[in-house]
Every structure is written in structure tokens, then in C-alpha cells.
Amino acid sequence: MSEVSVTKNAEGPAPAGDQLVVLDNVNKHFGALHVLQDIDLTIKRGEVVVVIGPSGSGKSTLCRTINRLETIDSGSITIDGKPLPQEGRELARLRADVGMVFQSFNLFAHKTVLENVMLGQTKVRKTDKAAAAKKARGLLDRVGVGTQADKYPAQLSGGQQQRVAIARALAMDPKVMLFDEPTSALDPEMINEVLDVMQQLAREGMTMVVVTHEMGFARSAANRVVFMADGRIIEEAEPNQFFNNPRSDRAKDFLSKILHH
Amino acid sequence: MNVLLDYLPEFRDGFLGTLAITGSSALLALVLGVLIAGFRVSPIPPLRAFGTAWVTLLRNTPLTLLFLVAVFVVPQILVPGASPFVLATLALGFYTSSFVCEAVRSGINTVPLGQAEAARSIGMTFSQTLRLVVLPQATRTVLPPMSSIFIALTKNSAIAGAFSVTDLFGHSKLLSDKGYAIGWIFLWIALAYLVITFSISALFRVLERRMGVAR
């Protein structure tokens, strides 16, 4: 895979068009819990950023703020130069450009697999039915569930459902894909089929933010690893450096707990 | 026995009248109820407040009082010259819409939050999310209470008979005034209501069975 070296401390004025997602001094509370603390994060076009950290560290919340499924208390988030608007039509338009894959798949239970992948195209993008179906079938083939097109989600395995969910997000031609622990609800033998699809996406140059516990994926697919704990970004580094030579004690502690068994 | 045969046309008119007033107000209640339920779960605070006020006001007012307002106040200030049928439809439809709204809202609450989040994530607006993803999945849960609500509506429609709408109950009064035995009149009237309410039950049973298969 391409060696996209991410010089994260490039202080120089990077070309604005290159920065796809920018979080600037983002803060969020859940009641008394300060779940996101002064988060600064910039994701460039084509970059794959993997967010890891212990549970409760705020990484899922971070992921969900990017398409405003969670609101923030202060700071700003911009996507492709546009600040996230308030809830409404404009936000809906922006969300169409941001693909989201959930831990619990969330396929539309009353629609077939094919309809799941068509719905956004026909209702949001206003693509005509035939073109939407053609594209949906192509995407389903690409993620390896083409033969399941006419089944309902409940008839599929977890791994298949998650791949359909990825196809559903891709059908909108998103600028960036958010993955919120996409493999955490899967049986072990199904994790790889989902990771393979994600690897392939990463190779094709999709901009991705991936919250995961899959360290193998982080090592092989990420351009950059973001380590979070207690609502803060503790460390950002290129994967090799992070896994072999973490700077912070918190990261060392975390890695020692998960890498040896 | 005699009453029914002697006054078959009256019984028929009454039956059709009850059917008409029930049908029209059920339609109005369904449309308004779903709309107001949408208001009550909307992200826009004024709409939510309006929905809550609507339900609180209409659900807690005695239906007879609503009829009095509809028949005597509404023509004075809003729609002069409206027929008793239209006014009764408004009273029954508005009243029942508050119950429909709450049944629909409870159905909406049974649909997992993730469904709405997924819909919003692919760029659907609030109303698209509700129409295309949430409500279709809520329907199955909403059917049983809805059947009860429409049966109650059928029986509530008798009040319209007291406000000069042609219906079963109105005709029963007419006939008993003519001196027929009240017991027989009530028996036939009750049977006529049962025909309607049993039909509603049957209709909803069919709908439930069909929805059960679709998933």
C-alpha cells in the first residue's frame, strides 16, 4: 500500500482543500462527565485515521460528533471547509456526504438488502430507481453479498449485515466514511470479512475515520493512529511508531494490556 | 321484531349515518393523529409544544363538551353554515386524534433509535426519516391499540345523534318517542353497532396478520 507519510506537525499552512475534516477545540459534556476535552484533530483527504483507546475514553462520541449525531458544547467542526450547520435540511445534505457505519449495523429492518442500499440514492440523491438498483447491486457485489440482495437484514449474519451497511454508506458517494466500532458486535470469525472490505476501501483512497479495537487493522491500514483516554487525545502518531514506541505512559499502559495475550 | 320490519328504511339510514360519521371522523383522526405524533417527536420545540398542548386539551375534555363547542361555538366564529355532519366529524375527529397520536407515539418509541440514526446519517430529513423508516416499522405495534380506539370512536359517534346528525342512536330516540318497546329498539340498535365494531376488529386482525408476515 502507498506510503502516505503523515507529517502531523506540519505547522505550515497546508492547502485548505486538503483538509477534509477539522475539529477545533471541541468540548462536550454528558451531564457532569467531560467526555470530549479540547479536541483538535485534522483529517486530510485520502487519509485513514484510526482512533483507539480504552472504553469510555470518548472515541465513539468523537466519531459521532463529526456528522452531528452528537452535538458539541463548544469549539467547531468543519467538513470540506463548511462548518456543521444546525439540525435541518442543510445538515441532512451534509450528512449525505459523510458515510457512517455503526457497531450495531442499523440496517433498515423493514427493507430488503437491495432496498437498504437504494433508499438513500432514490430519496436523498433523487437518483432514478433503475440506476440506483444497478449501483446498489454493484456495491453489494463489491462487498461480497451480491447473492443476498433480496433477503431481509434479519436473515443475514452479522458480518454480512455490516458489509451491507458499508455498501449503504458507499452508495451516497461519501467524501469521508466514519466507522464506529464496526466489528465490536461481530462473532470472531466474521470480523475479517468486514476488515477486508475496509482494507480495500483504504487502499482505494477513501478518507476514513475508524474507531476500533482491531490493532491489526490499525497497524496495516492506518496512516495515523489517534490514541484517546479520558476525553482527551493523548497521542497521535504513525502506526509503526505508535505501536513500537509509544511516547505517553498512558498509551504504553494501554498497549501492554491489549497486545500480550 | 315489528319495529325493525316496520321501520327498516329508518334503521338503514341510521346504520349508514353511523357508518358515515364513524368513517369520516376516523379518517380525520388518523391523519391528524399521525401528524401530531410527528410534531411530538420533532426536533423543533414549538411543534413539540403544540403537539403536547393538542393532546392534553383534547384528550382531557369530555366529548360532549367538545360537541357543544363544535355545534354552537364553531359556526359562530369559524365556519358559519357548516352542516351538523361536518361539525360532528370535527368534534369526533379532533377528540380521537389525540388518542391516535399517543398510540402512534408509543409505536415510534418501540423502533430502535439506531434506525433513525442510520436514516439521518444517509442524509434523510426528519420527515423522510419518520415517513420512510420509523413509521413503517411502528405500524405493527400501533395496530392493536388503534383497533380499540376506532371501536371506541364508533360508539362515541352516538353522541352525534343527539346533535341532529342522522345515525343509529338518533333514530332509536325517534322510534321510542313513537311508543315502540324500548327493549326491542335497543336490541336492534346494539346489534347494528356490533356489526360495525366486529368489522373493525376483523379488519385489524387481517392487517396484523399481514404485517406479521412482512417482516
Side-chain angles (χ1 to χ4, degrees):
Chain A
M1 75 167 275
S2 61
E3 283 292 296
V4 186
S5 69
V6 181
T7 48
K8 82 172 189 67
N9 284 328
E11 297 289 306
D18 207 21
Q19 305 185 340
L20 193 51
V21 179
V22 180
L23 286 82
D24 183 25
N25 201 21
V26 168
N27 278 280
K28 178 177 178 65
H29 297 79
F30 280 134
L33 182 68
H34 198 168
V35 62
L36 293 179
Q37 305 184 26
D38 308 324
I39 301 287
D40 291 309
L41 182 65
T42 301
I43 294 145
K44 295 186 181 145
R45 207 178 294 275
E47 200 181 9
V48 177
V49 173
V50 170
V51 184
I52 62 175
S55 40
S57 58
K59 51 193 194 308
S60 272
T61 309
L62 174 72
C63 186
R64 290 163 56 87
T65 56
I66 296 175
N67 69 351
R68 212 174 179 279
L69 283 180
E70 299 284 355
T71 55
I72 56 175
D73 299 337
S74 67
S76 75
I77 299 176
T78 56
I79 293 180
D80 212 0
K82 285 193 273 293
L84 279 186
Q86 291 296 304
E87 196 74 42
R89 270 172 203 286
E90 215 182 320
L91 180 63
R93 253 197 301 281
L94 191 135
R95 277 186 181 135
D97 292 336
V98 179
M100 177 99 188
V101 176
F102 299 86
Q103 180 176 349
S104 48
F105 329 133
N106 294 343
L107 292 177
F108 305 132
H110 63 307
K111 299 272 183 196
T112 64
V113 163
L114 187 70
E115 289 167 341
N116 262 276
V117 185
M118 287 172 62
L119 197 64
Q121 297 184 67
T122 52
K123 299 299 178 180
V124 177
R125 298 283 193 224
K126 313 290 183 199
T127 316
D128 73 87
K129 275 222 158 86
K134 186 157 176 277
K135 184 171 183 182
R137 286 191 191 279
L139 284 167
L140 288 172
D141 283 337
R142 190 169 140 196
V143 299
V145 286
T147 54
Q148 319 287 335
D150 297 319
K151 290 189 181 167
Y152 282 90
Q155 297 169 291
L156 269 57
S157 74
Q160 291 171 327
Q161 288 191 50
Q162 193 62 298
R163 286 182 281 155
V164 174
I166 294 172
R168 175 175 70 180
L170 287 175
M172 307 303 290
D173 298 317
K175 292 175 182 165
V176 53
M177 288 275 285
L178 310 175
F179 293 82
D180 183 8
E181 303 204 24
T183 57
S184 297
L186 294 176
D187 291 340
E189 78 261 35
M190 293 169 184
I191 290 177
N192 278 335
E193 63 191 50
V194 172
L195 290 181
D196 285 346
V197 170
M198 291 167 61
Q199 289 272 13
Q200 190 194 333
L201 269 182
R203 277 196 297 274
E204 288 165 5
M206 174 62 75
T207 311
M208 292 162 67
V209 178
V210 184
V211 175
T212 188
H213 294 291
E214 296 298 326
M215 298 305 146
F217 177 81
R219 261 182 201 278
S220 60
N223 301 123
R224 183 159 43 125
V225 172
V226 171
F227 175 71
M228 282 187 77
D230 306 321
R232 289 179 185 282
I233 293 180
I234 306 286
E235 193 165 340
E236 283 182 70
E238 189 232 339
N240 268 333
Q241 192 203 325
F242 177 79
F243 286 108
N244 300 331
N245 193 14
R247 288 188 305 261
S248 63
D249 290 341
R250 192 73 184 81
K252 282 176 193 159
D253 180 50
F254 177 74
L255 289 173
S256 74
K257 279 177 183 149
I258 57 158
L259 291 181
H260 302 298
H261 61 80
Chain B
M1 193 69 203
N2 274 348
V3 180
L4 182 65
L5 292 181
D6 291 353
Y7 289 94
L8 206 53
E10 277 77 3
F11 273 101
R12 194 197 53 214
D13 286 352
F15 182 77
L16 294 178
T18 293
L19 216 53
I21 187 78
T22 303
S24 63
S25 37
L27 195 66
L28 180 66
L30 192 64
V31 171
L32 280 176
V34 173
L35 187 71
I36 303 291
F39 283 8
R40 290 206 71 177
V41 297
S42 142
I44 304 164
L47 285 186
R48 278 206 303 274
F50 178 82
T52 312
W54 180 278
V55 169
T56 309
L57 192 72
L58 290 168
R59 192 171 58 170
N60 297 311
T61 310
L63 182 54
T64 316
L65 204 63
L66 281 180
F67 263 99
L68 287 171
V69 172
V71 172
F72 296 115
V73 181
V74 171
Q76 298 291 325
I77 51 174
L78 288 173
V79 270
S83 74
F85 182 84
V86 169
L87 295 172
T89 298
L90 288 179
L92 273 171
F94 277 38
Y95 176 76
T96 310
S97 76
S98 65
F99 295 91
V100 171
C101 164
E102 291 302 272
V104 170
R105 198 164 64 92
S106 79
I108 289 173
N109 288 338
T110 62
V111 179
L113 191 61
Q115 294 285 315
E117 283 188 346
R120 288 156 69 202
S121 293
I122 57 171
M124 286 192 192
T125 60
F126 172 76
S127 77
Q128 283 179 321
T129 301
L130 206 57
R131 271 187 299 118
L132 301 169
V133 174
V134 178
L135 283 178
Q137 296 187 61
T139 312
R140 219 161 66 106
T141 341
V142 169
L143 285 178
M146 208 71 107
S147 146
S148 305
I149 290 169
F150 286 136
I151 287 172
L153 167 64
T154 308
K155 296 181 291 179
N156 285 340
S157 73
I159 298 181
F163 289 90
S164 51
V165 173
T166 309
D167 87 327
L168 280 169
F169 181 74
H171 276 296
S172 80
K173 259 192 331 183
L174 232 66
L175 293 175
S176 72
D177 288 349
K178 289 191 173 159
Y180 284 93
I182 193 92
W184 281 108
I185 299 172
F186 273 12
L187 181 72
W188 295 122
I189 297 286
L191 279 176
Y193 275 110
L194 279 180
V195 168
I196 299 176
T197 52
F198 275 24
S199 306
I200 293 175
S201 304
L203 173 70
F204 274 85
R205 252 202 309 280
V206 170
L207 286 175
E208 270 178 59
R209 205 169 306 142
R210 195 162 302 166
M211 297 302 241
V213 181
R215 253 165 86 111

